[in-house]
């Protein structure tokens, strides 16, 4: 038999299948070590055949790398599907197995225990074997007769190594080894006995009916999580498994807590912030069928579960579901593939579905289920718009409107909690010299540096470059430096100054870089230790804090003026989501939204919770301008360290593509231009952007891929993406 192997070479153009023979039995899906040129390389067996069509001498597979078959037949099919979307097979295969398994460095954790040997029946028999004077030996034997088996490292605390050694040698004690799972932390949550509301029950009935794919449009706090759990329960009962996706790692401790309370050890968590050991154990539990629910952010869509009953994507509109680095994929497309393969249910849920998904529901691709009420008919929190221009005119130049401050004060007096949302991290967005106007810029990127007061640094949020903060202008020596727009750090500082009695926490990318740090923050806020939580979009989604009654949105406009056709949509989603954190339990909630453009239509829809009105307006606009979902936007990004080289290469690509597409049906327009961020991490960036009508896109994409994949020029990298989430 000939085995077809994909070799695991990173950053190479090689994505070819090579033939090998094997001196020992192997299975399709095994990871193996193979000779490749002069080297030995890891690879994946993806197929077998009787005859090789290559003209080279076949070499032997050297060894199998795991004691199980790592890649299931489904994942092999998925690889084929993904490679049809212009992705390298090896990049896909790598997604399916965590690094800690692939690199062979992490091992199963075994702990040694000491027990009374089976040969010794009673305490007296044991004592007969010991010298009367061996006091500590006697004490230890008595202790183990009382306590049963004990971990050796606990015994080590009280007894010497010689004591243990001689007891083992005398045959009184035995060592045994137990495997121990390294389990990720979660929030402590009690399992509540819950009776479904009528709305939830109707939704459940519909989902368990004959249809397969659903969009659940349920307002924040309508009890979607409970609904998901019921659908999963149904799957488990039928002997099937489930995947549950959440948009952010920071949401997993809460969801894991809720799921553990309900499903116990049947749930495993998969994400990149776990320790290698945790990841190794959680993955293996899923692979060997010990746990049956995979929970995690987008990468958990590749969970090694077979026989799926349901795949759920919570907060489906979230842009984190699109992978923007290699391999680039849309989680919803992978989910749709797996749902079809397993013939299982697919649930997308959101309070603010993406315009594209809602449109697809409206043309019947998903069955739409609406949940319009909060649990127990609690009201959605009232959203009040605050005109910050008026505040300025009235002489208030601080970041807080007078109204917001007094509302915070009132809430704190009532011992209720407050969330303050600002989607900008750091202390201030930039620093400017008041004399000459100098602004420190990142030398590697086309952006200004952000001031972080924590470590008095200037940082680039794109490449991570970090410098010491300046105390005078390097250009003119002036010491009068002005800070730009405020970030979360400064908000915390101000709030701490104004409310010195209260504890303020911050949750953003910077405060959560250490493992499990977000669990500490969430637990502390959840338990009421802290009164105010300040954060970026990390605090906007999904969290279910019972005692939060006030949400302040400091700068609602941030996402409104980005150059992106989804700017309105993103703003609507973000504000609705943050607002949804208030008043989730018995006390009513209130939202104060500060803006400089209060008359903007998006805010009017947001304040009324009028998703449908917003959608109708937005979809009309997209129809008129032929933006997605009515088209696909393909962007080919050209990058090189030399700006002229990059521009020239991009222009060549433009010529090739526009030449090949000339006269083709379905092309709306083709443009070449510098990327919005002209330089990033030392690379100069240019792009060709092509708008294609949906119905013609398949053909045209193939032409574009052919050209961009075969375009090779020294020092230039080219990649293509469809409907980019951010056109920076
Ligand atoms: P969503 O995900 O729609 O924002 P959640 O699922 O977080 O909402 O539900 C909000 C709160 O309501 C949770 O604390 C949940 O435990 C509770 N809840 C859900 N369903 C019910 C029910 N049928 N009866 C009582 N409480 C419920
Ligand atoms: Zn930079």
């Amino acid at each position: 038999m000939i085995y077809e192997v994909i070799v695991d070479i990173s950053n190479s153009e090689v994505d070819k299948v090579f033939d090998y023979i094997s001196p020992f039995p192997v299975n399709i899906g095994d990871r193996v070590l193979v000779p490749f040129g002069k080297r030995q390389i890891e690879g994946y067996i993806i197929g077998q055949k009787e005859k090789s069509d290559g003209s080279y001498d076949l070499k032997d597979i050297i060894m199998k790398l795991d004691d199980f078959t790592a890649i299931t037949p489904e994942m092999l099919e998925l690889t084929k599907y993904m490679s049809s979307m212009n992705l390298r097979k090896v990049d896909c295969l790598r997604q399916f197995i965590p690094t800690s398994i692939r690199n062979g460095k992490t091992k199963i954790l075994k702990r040694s225990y000491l027990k009374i040997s089976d040969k010794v029946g009673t305490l007296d028999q044991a004592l007969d074997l010991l010298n009367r004077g061996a006091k500590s030996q006697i004490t230890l034997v008595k202790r183990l007769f009382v306590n049963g088996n004990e971990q050796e490292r606990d015994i080590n605390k009280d007894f010497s190594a010689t004591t243990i050694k001689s007891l083992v040698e005398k045959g009184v004690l035995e060592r045994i080894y137990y495997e121990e799972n390294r389990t990720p932390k979660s929030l402590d949550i009690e399992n509540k006995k819950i009776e479904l509301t009528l709305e939830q029950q109707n939704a459940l009935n519909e989902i368990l009916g004959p249809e397969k794919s659903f969009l659940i449009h349920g307002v924040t706090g309508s009890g979607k999580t409970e609904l998901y759990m019921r659908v999963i329960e149904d799957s488990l009962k039928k002997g099937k498994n489930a995947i549950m996706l959440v948009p952010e790692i920071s949401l997993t401790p809460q969801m894991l807590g809720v799921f553990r309370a309900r499903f116990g050890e049947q749930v495993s968590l998969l994400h990149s912030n776990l320790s290698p050991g945790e990841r190794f154990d959680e993955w293996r539990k899923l692979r060997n069928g010990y746990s049956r629910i995979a929970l995690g952010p987008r990468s958990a869509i590749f969970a090694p579960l077979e026989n799926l009953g349901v795949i759920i994507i919570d907060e489906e509109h979230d842009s984190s579901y699109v992978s923007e680095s290699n391999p680039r994929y849309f989680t919803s497309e992978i989910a749709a593939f797996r749902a079809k393969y397993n013939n299982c249910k697919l649930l997308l849920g959101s309070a603010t579905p993406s315009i594209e998904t809602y449109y697809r529901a409206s043309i019947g691709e998903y069955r739409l289920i609406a949940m319009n009420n909060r649990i127990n008919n609690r009201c959605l929190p009232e959203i009040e718009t605050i005109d910050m221009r008026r505040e300025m005119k009235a002489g208030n130049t601080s970041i807080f409107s007078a109204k917001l401050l007094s509302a915070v004060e009132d809430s704190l007096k009532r011992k209720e909690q407050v969330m303050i949302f600002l989607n900008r991290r750091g202390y201030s967005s930039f620093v400017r010299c008041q004399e000459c106007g100098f602004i420190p810029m990142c030398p590697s990127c086309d952006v200004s540096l952000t001031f972080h007061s924590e470590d008095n640094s200037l940082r680039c949020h794109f490449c991570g470059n970090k410098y010491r903060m300046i105390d005078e202008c390097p250009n003119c020596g002036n010491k009068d430096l002005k800070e730009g727009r405020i970030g979360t750090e400064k908000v915390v500082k101000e709030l701490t100054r104004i409310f010195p009695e209260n504890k303020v926490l911050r949750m953003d990318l910077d405060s959560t870089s250490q493992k499990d740090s977000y669990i500490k923050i969430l637990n502390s806020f959840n338990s009421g230790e802290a009164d105010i939580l300040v954060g970026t979009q990390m605090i906007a989604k999904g969290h279910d804090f019972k005692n939060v009654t006030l949400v302040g949105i400091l700068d609602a406009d941030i996402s409104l003026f980005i150059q992106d056709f989804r700017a309105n949509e993103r703003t609507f989603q973000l504000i609705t989501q943050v607002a949804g954190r208030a008043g989730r339990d018995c006390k009513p909630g209130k939202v104060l939204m500060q803006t400089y453009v209060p008359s903007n239509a998006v805010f009017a829809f947001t304040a009324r919770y009028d998703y449908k009105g917003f959608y109708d307006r937005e979809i009309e606009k997209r129809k008129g301008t032929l933006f997605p979902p009515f088209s696909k936007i393909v962007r080919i990004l050209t990058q090189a360290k030399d700006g002229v080289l990059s521009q020239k290469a991009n222009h060549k690509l433009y010529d090739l593509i526009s030449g090949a597409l000339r006269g083709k049906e379905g092309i709306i327009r083709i443009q070449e231009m510098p990327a919005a961020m002209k330089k990033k991490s030392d690379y100069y960036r240019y792009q060709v952007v092509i708008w294609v009508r949906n119905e013609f896109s398949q053909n045209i994409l193939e032409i574009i891929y052919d050209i961009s994949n075969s375009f090779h020029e020294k020092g230039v990298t080219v990649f293509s993406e469809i409907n980019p989430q951010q056109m920076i």
Side-chain angles (χ1 to χ4, degrees):
M1 193 58 75
I2 314 277
Y3 296 99
E4 298 175 317
V5 174
I6 292 267
V7 287
D8 194 346
I9 309 176
S10 51
N11 309 320
S12 112
E13 304 299 325
V14 184
D15 196 31
K16 264 173 48 191
V17 178
F18 294 93
D19 293 350
Y20 287 88
I21 42 182
S22 180
F24 42 81
V26 287
N27 295 314
I28 296 177
D30 282 346
R31 286 192 328 123
V32 289
L33 193 66
V34 293
F36 190 76
K38 289 198 181 87
R39 294 187 290 163
Q40 298 189 343
I41 292 185
E42 295 182 3
Y44 304 84
I45 302 182
I46 61 153
Q48 60 183 34
K49 58 194 174 193
E50 295 294 335
K51 255 175 69 185
S52 174
D53 16 74
S55 55
Y56 47 90
D57 286 337
L58 295 182
K59 291 187 185 154
D60 276 348
I61 292 175
I62 299 165
M63 63 186 279
K64 271 172 69 154
L65 291 167
D66 313 294
D67 54 8
F68 54 89
T69 295
I71 311 283
T72 60
E74 177 188 356
M75 294 325 240
L76 287 173
E77 286 301 310
L78 178 57
T79 310
K80 272 188 216 155
Y81 169 70
M82 289 175 80
S83 70
S84 78
M85 297 191 297
N86 201 33
L87 298 170
R88 290 175 53 201
K89 292 195 191 69
V90 63
D91 290 332
C92 304
L93 287 161
R94 270 190 205 148
Q95 300 302 304
F96 307 159
I97 310 164
T99 329
S100 53
I101 300 237
R102 275 191 280 126
N103 66 16
K105 283 188 190 141
T106 314
K107 298 273 179 302
I108 295 173
L109 178 64
K110 286 194 178 143
R111 298 250 185 240
S112 81
Y113 284 69
L114 288 170
K115 62 173 278 203
I116 302 289
S117 165
D118 290 337
K119 283 172 248 153
V120 183
T122 63
L123 178 59
D124 285 342
Q125 284 173 3
L127 295 179
D128 281 347
L129 296 169
L130 306 179
N131 292 333
R132 294 258 170 264
K135 288 237 172 68
S136 53
Q137 291 187 18
I138 295 171
T139 320
L140 176 54
V141 169
K142 283 184 178 164
R143 166 162 153 180
L144 288 180
F145 261 97
V146 177
N147 291 1
N149 305 348
E150 262 194 79
Q151 232 189 81
E152 191 162 351
R153 66 170 180 195
D154 293 334
I155 295 178
N156 281 335
K157 287 178 200 149
D158 304 323
F159 297 92
S160 72
T162 12
T163 307
I164 298 171
K165 190 161 169 247
S166 57
L167 283 170
V168 172
E169 277 168 9
K170 287 188 180 128
V172 179
L173 295 190
E174 251 173 53
R175 261 196 194 88
I176 45 170
Y177 295 90
Y178 287 126
E179 275 187 28
E180 186 176 295
N181 280 324
R182 289 150 286 198
T183 36
K185 290 198 184 67
S186 62
L187 301 195
D188 296 327
I189 289 171
E190 267 177 66
N191 189 22
K192 281 191 288 188
K193 189 110 192 75
I194 282 180
E195 217 167 295
L196 293 186
T197 62
L198 189 62
E199 220 174 26
Q200 283 171 322
Q201 187 62 53
N202 286 340
L204 182 64
N205 293 346
E206 202 164 339
I207 293 167
L208 300 184
E211 299 273 338
K212 291 286 180 206
S213 310
F214 300 87
L215 170 62
I216 299 156
H217 178 207
V219 299
T220 54
S222 56
K224 294 186 287 295
T225 312
E226 183 60 35
L227 178 64
Y228 301 151
M229 290 198 289
R230 297 295 173 112
V231 180
I232 292 174
E233 255 167 25
D234 178 79
S235 277
L236 297 184
K237 251 189 242 148
K238 293 176 177 147
K240 296 182 176 194
N241 304 316
I243 296 179
M244 171 83 216
L245 303 182
V246 294
E248 288 234 9
I249 292 181
S250 66
L251 277 172
T252 57
Q254 174 182 313
M255 203 56 113
L256 184 61
V258 173
F259 270 57
R260 275 191 181 147
R262 182 72 51 93
F263 299 109
E265 294 204 354
Q266 294 186 86
V267 48
S268 276
L269 184 62
L270 290 179
H271 66 67
S272 55
N273 206 295
L274 299 177
S275 72
E278 287 169 349
R279 225 172 158 187
F280 180 89
D281 289 345
E282 292 290 274
W283 190 89
R284 290 190 76 228
K285 280 200 288 193
L286 290 164
R287 182 69 186 93
N288 63 28
Y290 182 79
S291 50
R292 300 178 51 195
I293 306 167
L295 170 69
R298 70 163 182 254
S299 58
I301 193 60
F302 299 117
L305 284 167
E306 291 173 280
N307 194 16
L308 290 171
V310 62
I311 301 172
I312 300 168
I313 307 182
D314 192 22
E315 318 275 11
E316 70 79 30
H317 62 276
D318 200 279
S319 61
S320 70
Y321 285 122
V322 183
S323 163
E324 304 238 86
S325 56
N326 204 9
R328 293 161 194 279
Y329 61 86
F330 293 92
T331 305
S332 57
E333 285 183 3
I334 309 289
F337 176 91
R338 295 199 71 176
K340 196 162 165 214
Y341 186 95
N342 288 277
N343 191 24
C344 77
K345 306 277 177 188
L346 175 62
L347 266 58
L348 310 184
S350 176
T352 51
S354 78
I355 299 288
E356 283 146 275
T357 306
Y358 200 86
Y359 175 75
R360 293 174 67 180
S362 77
I363 58 172
E365 284 184 33
Y366 303 109
R367 177 76 159 243
L368 182 65
I369 297 181
M371 290 169 56
N372 297 324
N373 301 297
R374 275 193 158 183
I375 295 297
N376 295 340
N377 288 322
R378 277 165 228 138
C379 291
L380 284 161
E382 183 200 339
I383 301 180
E384 186 178 327
T385 309
I386 296 179
D387 185 348
M388 288 307 276
R389 293 169 310 182
R390 235 189 250 166
E391 292 283 322
M392 274 214 299
K393 272 191 206 136
N396 177 7
T397 52
S398 96
I399 46 182
F400 306 107
S401 59
K403 189 147 196 180
L404 178 57
L405 272 191
S406 76
V408 173
E409 198 176 339
D410 288 347
S411 299
L412 295 176
K413 266 192 204 140
R414 291 196 304 266
K415 301 273 176 244
E416 295 165 3
Q417 289 175 299
V418 177
M419 284 167 85
I420 300 286
F421 169 74
L422 175 63
N423 212 9
R424 193 185 294 119
R425 64 197 173 92
Y427 191 83
S428 74
S429 61
F430 57 83
V431 192
R432 189 204 326 257
C433 168
Q434 289 295 76
E435 191 63 38
C436 72
F438 172 83
I439 295 176
M441 302 287 288
C442 175
S444 303
C445 306
D446 186 23
V447 291
S448 57
L449 295 168
T450 302
F451 172 43
H452 286 252
S453 66
E454 269 178 332
D455 56 355
N456 203 35
S457 68
L458 288 168
R459 288 189 221 163
C460 173
H461 284 183
F462 289 90
C463 70
N465 272 345
K466 193 165 154 176
Y467 306 89
R468 273 181 62 122
M469 173 63 179
I470 45 174
D471 42 25
E472 62 180 45
C473 174
N475 199 29
C476 70
N478 168 41
K479 287 197 169 14
D480 188 8
L481 303 172
K482 189 176 157 40
E483 285 152 13
R485 302 173 127 213
I486 51 144
T488 44
E489 272 184 18
K490 183 156 186 190
V491 176
V492 172
K493 187 175 160 205
E494 286 294 292
L495 286 171
T496 315
R497 186 179 58 77
I498 304 170
F499 303 104
E501 305 288 300
N502 297 94
K503 185 161 177 198
V504 186
L505 290 174
R506 172 164 64 91
M507 189 152 116
D508 55 26
L509 206 62
D510 305 303
S511 70
T512 54
S513 55
Q514 277 179 347
K515 181 175 173 337
D516 293 342
S517 45
Y518 47 88
I519 300 185
K520 280 189 207 116
I521 300 173
L522 293 173
N523 259 332
S524 165
F525 193 60
N526 204 25
S527 66
E529 255 169 64
D531 310 291
I532 306 179
L533 179 64
V534 175
T536 54
Q537 37 89 25
M538 259 190 200
I539 64 166
K541 312 161 188 176
H543 301 288
D544 188 29
F545 301 116
K546 306 275 183 250
N547 196 30
V548 172
T549 52
L550 177 68
V551 166
I553 300 173
L554 290 190
D555 190 346
D557 313 339
I558 293 182
S559 51
L560 199 56
F561 298 112
I562 49 172
Q563 284 178 14
D564 191 314
F565 73 95
R566 291 194 190 88
N568 286 345
E569 181 182 354
R570 293 261 184 270
T571 306
F572 183 87
Q573 286 164 347
L574 207 47
I575 292 173
T576 311
Q577 293 292 337
V578 200
R581 300 314 110 210
R584 293 174 71 84
D585 208 26
C586 7
K587 300 169 206 154
K590 168 101 193 175
V591 181
L592 295 173
M593 176 171 72
Q594 301 185 166
T595 164
Y596 289 90
V597 282
S599 59
N600 191 295
V602 174
F603 295 133
F605 287 116
T606 315
R608 289 199 305 268
Y609 292 99
D610 183 6
Y611 175 84
K612 193 62 192 0
F614 174 73
Y615 169 83
D616 287 341
R617 176 173 175 268
E618 198 62 25
I619 201 80
E620 274 312 307
K621 274 208 312 211
R622 303 236 186 135
K623 204 181 260 171
T625 48
L626 283 175
F627 269 84
F630 302 100
S631 65
K632 285 202 165 73
I633 300 177
V634 191
R635 128 151 130 171
I636 318 288
L637 190 68
T638 311
Q639 304 191 92
K641 286 203 168 167
D642 176 334
V644 179
L645 180 63
S646 180
Q647 184 177 16
K648 278 192 177 151
N650 191 65
H651 184 68
K652 251 189 231 168
L653 265 170
Y654 172 78
D655 278 348
L656 285 170
I657 292 171
S658 50
L661 297 183
R662 191 160 297 131
K664 289 259 183 302
E665 218 173 352
I667 306 293
I668 302 164
R669 58 182 170 273
I670 309 180
Q671 289 175 351
E672 62 172 324
M673 61 191 121
M677 221 173 135
K678 286 187 208 67
K679 189 180 171 199
K680 192 173 161 195
S681 302
D682 290 322
Y683 283 88
Y684 289 86
R685 310 159 81 238
Y686 287 84
Q687 60 190 15
V688 180
V689 186
I690 306 134
W691 279 257
V692 190
R693 275 180 199 273
N694 261 342
E695 56 276 30
F696 300 99
S697 63
Q698 197 49 42
N699 252 336
I700 287 168
L701 281 178
E702 275 163 28
I703 298 174
I704 298 175
Y705 289 154
D706 274 348
I707 295 173
S708 63
N709 290 347
S710 55
F711 186 88
H712 298 295
E713 201 160 312
K714 206 165 175 295
V716 180
T717 54
V718 172
F719 68 76
S720 51
E721 54 187 337
I722 296 173
N723 295 351
Q725 293 298 295
Q726 267 186 316
M727 281 278 259
I728 55 165

